Amino acid sequence: MAQARIIDGKAFAEGLRDRIGTAVGQLTADHGLVPGLAVVLVGEGPASAVYVRNKARQTAEAGMASFKEVLPASTGQAELLDLIARLNADPKVHGILVQLPLPPQIDPEAVLDAIDPAKDVDGFHVINAGRLATGGSGARAPLVPCTPLGCQMLLRDALGDLTGLHAVVVGRSNIVGKPMAQLLLQDNCTVTVAHSRTRDLPAVCRGADILIAAVGRPEMVEGDWVKPGATVIDVGINRIDKPEGGTRLVGDVAFEAAAAVAGAITPVPGGVGPMTIACLLRNSVTAACRQAGLPAPEM
Ligand code: NDP
């Protein structure tokens, strides 16, 4: 029986998209600024194609301009870099996202390096990662990776001030774990980053007031890894087979068992997932404002 409060990321993301839509309407009315997001897809992997379609729809719904560039799976690196250069130079495009993974003939780091950091709405460019790590603000404020940014918004909404809380982040990837740890540090948490070589991971997790699971292993975090009353953010998205046939989505946390112990928890689906695209739109508006020399609206 679940006791924890459910952190409803789907509802929060809907509210955020509404606020973004209002901000975009205001920017367009007051300054003639229509934030534009270009999404680049190389090859038509079905999962990526669905994701890209969702992004395009939500971008248009927020009143923003959506540009979709689909290249064949055989595209060479030079051709992709040419496209990025064109998008970097296009004043209607304020944000550029290259859908990963890329086909094997293309080096993803070379592609990410080529994106203008001011248009890097995924926040993966080393300039943005460096600015996040060094606490850059004002003109040096980074664009922050969307998934950890969404987790931070949910945590602030659920808990208010995070100062002094012990946060354990399980996972140290560049797109989730590491930037998540940086954001929690900025919010004055005491941060532990755990990974596949961590000793006695259950005991480390049991010390967490905030437990973030970003691992990619279905239901790995068990109920007795959770400190009573802790806040659990489950970033994992894993598709598993159902005994009766078909598949279902689960997170990296054993939800029912963890919810019986935690104070608050995100479900999968409907937790962190919807926040990622909403934060992509938010980053695109922020990027557009910075490029136009305008203050970014509160969203
Ligand atoms: P990566 O595979 O890049 O990183 C996984 C991390 O988990 C690594 O740091 C790895 O450690 C660690 N890890 C793996 N196995 C264990 C273990 N047994 N014990 C402890 N740590 C372990 O994954 P991502 O960060 O890209 O994604 C993580 C999860 O989040 C995935 O399920 C992914 O689908 C999901 N995701 C969800 C998003 C959303 O929108 N909600 C967006 C992005 C990702 P090591 O470094 O030592 O190998």
Side-chain angles (χ1 to χ4, degrees):
M1 237 315 252
Q3 292 157 12
R5 184 155 58 90
I6 304 301
I7 298 175
D8 187 345
K10 186 162 179 275
F12 192 93
E14 271 166 25
L16 176 57
R17 288 203 305 273
D18 283 349
R19 297 195 294 280
I20 292 167
T22 304
V24 169
Q26 202 75 49
L27 285 168
T28 305
D30 294 351
H31 304 283
L33 177 62
V34 181
L37 171 64
V39 176
V40 180
L41 181 61
V42 185
E44 285 268 21
S48 295
V50 170
Y51 197 48
V52 167
R53 249 200 321 276
N54 280 340
K55 282 175 184 165
R57 182 176 47 78
Q58 294 186 21
T59 306
E61 280 171 8
M64 298 163 55
S66 166
F67 308 92
K68 188 174 155 192
E69 304 279 351
V70 182
L71 302 177
S74 59
T75 302
Q77 181 163 313
E79 204 181 323
L80 179 56
L81 292 179
D82 279 350
L83 172 62
I84 305 256
R86 282 203 301 281
L87 295 172
N88 280 343
D90 186 339
K92 295 190 297 303
V93 173
H94 304 97
I96 302 169
L97 178 149
V98 178
Q99 186 68 41
L100 301 175
L102 290 165
Q105 72 275 15
I106 300 178
D107 170 12
E109 280 186 33
V111 173
L112 296 181
D113 281 352
I115 297 173
D116 178 348
K119 297 190 176 186
D120 167 41
V121 283
D122 255 341
F124 296 161
H125 193 287
V126 287
I127 293 277
N128 282 313
R131 285 179 176 166
L132 179 61
T134 53
S137 60
R140 289 197 170 74
L143 287 163
V144 176
C146 302
T147 300
L149 179 59
C151 295
Q152 183 191 42
M153 294 182 88
L154 292 179
L155 279 169
R156 286 179 174 178
D157 185 61
L159 296 175
D161 187 4
L162 310 184
T163 297
L165 297 177
H166 183 202
V168 173
V169 182
V170 190
R172 56 174 164 179
S173 71
N174 288 334
I175 65 171
V176 189
K178 280 183 202 153
M180 186 74 250
Q182 299 290 358
L183 290 173
L184 291 162
L185 264 182
Q186 280 179 8
D187 277 348
N188 300 317
C189 290
T190 303
V191 181
T192 301
V193 182
H195 45 77
S196 67
R197 311 294 178 89
T198 296
R199 283 193 200 155
D200 200 355
L201 184 59
V204 172
C205 291
R206 272 194 289 274
D209 303 306
I210 295 171
L211 179 57
I212 314 252
V215 182
R217 295 194 181 268
E219 302 179 320
M220 184 187 83
V221 174
E222 297 175 24
D224 67 357
W225 297 22
V226 177
K227 175 170 157 177
T231 302
V232 179
I233 304 288
D234 190 352
V235 181
I237 302 179
N238 310 289
R239 190 166 285 285
I240 62 166
D241 292 331
K242 290 196 285 195
E244 68 272 26
T247 62
R248 67 187 178 104
L249 284 186
V250 297
D252 290 341
V253 177
F255 178 82
E256 289 300 333
V261 185
I265 187 167
T266 57
V268 177
V272 174
M275 290 299 290
T276 299
I277 296 184
C279 286
L280 175 70
L281 304 183
R282 185 184 193 263
N283 276 353
S284 302
V285 175
T286 302
C289 289
R290 287 189 194 151
Q291 285 161 54
L294 297 168
E298 288 294 322
M299 287 172 283

